[in-house]
Amino acid sequence: MKKKDYFKLFRIMFTLSAFTFGGGYVIVSLMKNEFVDRLKWIDEEEMLNLVAIAQSSPGAVAVNGSILVGYKVGGIPGAIVSIFGTILPPFIILSAISVGYNQFKENVYVGAFLKGMQPAIAAIIISVVIQLGLNIIKQKEVYFIIIMVLAFLVTYFMNVNIILVILSCAVLGGFYALYKQKKGVK
Amino acid sequence: MTLFALFLCFLQIGAFSFGGGLAALPLIQQQVVTLNNWMSMSEFTDLIAIAEMTPGPIAVNSATFVGIHLFGIKGAIVATLGCILPSILFVAALGFLYNKYKKHYLLEGVLAGLRPAVVAMILSAGISIFLIAVFGTELNSFNIYAIIIFLCALYFMAIKKVNPILVLLLSGIIGGGFYIFMGLPI
């Protein structure tokens, strides 16, 4: 990776982090949009693998995801650049706000801005998830489509712990690979 | 109360918060309010409000906020480092294994099982944010403007391929401006 690409990586991570209201899934959606669709630095399948790893590790998904994406595109320097890009915006903003946080918390313009932005956050996540879901369906492997539907039902309607969902799906995927391997050998 | 204690405290928060975001809050509360008495419960409530109103992961926001509150900027740096260190170590280890064995059929199978799960979890987060935007946090009100903003944002992002961050900002400014102009509750 060239020097100017590291700057680009830093700038992208910084911008994404500065605008990720609404948690880790937003930044993951934005990263997919930026690195997979626009820059084509990572392919979609790899991106989903990285998100799965980020999700299975402790700590903030946004930080984990940025380390993995940074490493993927630029090795260890890329990972370091990404970490700084990701943690600097919240660091600067929170440092600034902690001086006068009551004024900030009760500011009507801040409240209105956030309220106006909230539906757009949902729109980002949903537009990314539609593409991702369609690509899983297009592979025409019923087994994985069933995993997707079941995983959705248990996380959304039954509030099952995410770690449990991840572990179960990992095991289901592993068994399926073993089964296919055995069948292939015969 | 020392900088080192602060570091250890956020190291634990970073190491044991799986699933990200709101899942980390009880852990932060226990460490910062109950065990160490670094903040009162009402200060902690302020912290949650601010963390939700600002971009970035809640754990990193809390680290900066609590660190500054106790020791100024150097406290913020130490707490943030403590918070992200477990992520770096864990993700580096998993990332190493992933890069080394990703061609192995069993790991390929595990990842194939995880990808649909990731899509399902992103979808679930997107729906939750959408419902909160339209029906409020208690799901007892109805906001038609949120649906309009949602549809416009989806149109510009998914069909017109406008940069999602621009869409977020414009939704905040136009949507928020509209709420203020019409004197709607915020």
Side-chain angles (χ1 to χ4, degrees):
Chain A
M1 211 160 100
K2 289 192 211 100
K3 202 171 163 191
K4 73 167 204 288
D5 287 332
Y6 286 109
F7 279 112
K8 199 173 194 176
L9 182 63
F10 179 81
R11 202 187 35 144
I12 292 171
M13 288 303 186
F14 190 92
T15 320
L16 295 190
S17 177
F19 292 100
T20 41
F21 295 86
Y25 288 110
V26 186
I27 203 168
V28 163
S29 307
L30 290 172
M31 278 181 193
K32 191 247 167 207
N33 189 285
E34 194 71 28
F35 294 105
V36 178
D37 302 337
R38 223 173 57 78
L39 291 170
K40 303 190 167 39
W41 282 357
I42 302 180
D43 68 52
E44 182 172 310
E45 194 175 291
E46 182 105 51
M47 186 73 207
L48 281 175
N49 291 345
L50 297 183
V51 176
I53 298 173
Q55 192 55 253
S56 331
S57 308
V61 177
V63 176
N64 297 347
S66 85
I67 297 174
L68 289 161
V69 168
Y71 182 78
K72 174 75 206 159
V73 300
I76 290 176
I80 294 171
V81 162
S82 288
I83 293 176
F84 276 104
T86 305
I87 63 170
L88 271 182
F91 189 86
I92 296 168
I93 293 169
L94 261 285
S95 302
I97 285 173
S98 65
V99 182
Y101 68 87
N102 278 320
Q103 288 93 311
F104 176 80
K105 206 178 59 184
E106 276 141 31
N107 189 300
V108 67
Y109 296 105
V110 175
F113 178 76
L114 292 172
K115 196 178 160 93
M117 200 164 55
Q118 205 173 33
I121 295 175
I124 288 188
I125 299 186
I126 288 178
S127 81
V128 167
V129 96
I130 290 172
Q131 297 168 22
L132 293 174
L134 283 178
N135 286 341
I136 300 255
I137 292 168
K138 270 186 213 148
Q139 291 171 0
K140 296 202 171 118
E141 287 239 39
V142 180
Y143 188 78
F144 294 117
I145 298 174
I146 293 174
I147 289 188
M148 183 162 74
V149 173
L150 282 181
F152 173 72
L153 293 177
V154 297
T155 35
Y156 188 75
F157 290 104
M158 294 158 72
N159 283 320
V160 174
N161 188 322
I162 283 181
I163 303 299
L164 197 64
V165 178
I166 286 179
L167 284 177
S168 320
C169 293
V171 170
L172 286 174
F175 273 131
Y176 191 58
L178 275 177
Y179 166 76
K180 277 209 297 197
Q181 180 84 352
K182 272 206 170 141
K183 232 175 54 173
V185 169
K186 277 177 193 170
Chain B
M1 182 176 72
T2 60
L3 269 176
F4 188 63
L6 180 69
F7 178 78
L8 283 184
C9 162
F10 275 95
L11 194 71
Q12 289 176 52
I13 293 172
F16 294 108
S17 57
F18 281 91
L22 298 171
L25 278 180
L27 194 66
I28 299 171
Q29 183 189 343
Q30 187 194 27
Q31 284 288 333
V32 173
V33 183
T34 321
L35 289 177
N36 291 302
N37 287 314
W38 284 335
M39 274 187 162
S40 68
M41 197 55 211
S42 92
E43 283 172 317
F44 182 72
T45 316
D46 284 344
L47 165 62
I48 300 175
I50 290 165
E52 280 182 357
M53 292 169 86
T54 49
I58 286 186
V60 177
N61 286 343
S62 312
T64 310
F65 194 80
V66 175
I68 273 211
H69 184 79
L70 296 173
F71 296 103
I73 286 285
K74 70 174 187 275
I77 295 173
V78 165
T80 305
L81 283 180
C83 174
I84 62 168
L85 192 61
S87 288
I88 296 174
L89 298 177
F90 209 93
V91 165
L94 279 184
F96 174 77
L97 290 175
Y98 165 71
N99 279 321
K100 195 160 178 198
Y101 296 110
K102 67 178 163 189
K103 295 284 171 243
H104 189 277
Y105 78 94
L106 200 55
L107 184 60
E108 263 182 356
V110 166
L111 289 168
L114 285 177
R115 286 193 292 267
V118 168
V119 177
M121 285 186 280
I122 299 179
L123 175 63
S124 162
I127 294 180
S128 300
I129 295 177
F130 174 78
L131 290 180
I132 288 173
V134 176
F135 298 104
T137 15
E138 312 281 323
L139 300 182
N140 57 3
S141 54
F142 178 71
N143 179 356
I144 180 85
Y145 307 111
I147 296 183
I148 298 171
I149 298 175
F150 173 82
L151 291 175
C152 292
L154 199 61
Y155 171 76
F156 283 110
M157 242 164 340
I159 305 196
K160 290 282 172 190
K161 305 285 178 204
V162 176
N163 184 335
I165 289 187
L166 188 66
V167 175
L168 273 184
L169 277 180
L170 287 178
S171 308
I173 294 167
I174 299 172
F178 177 77
Y179 285 123
I180 290 181
F181 184 72
M182 300 292 284
L184 293 162
I186 288 157

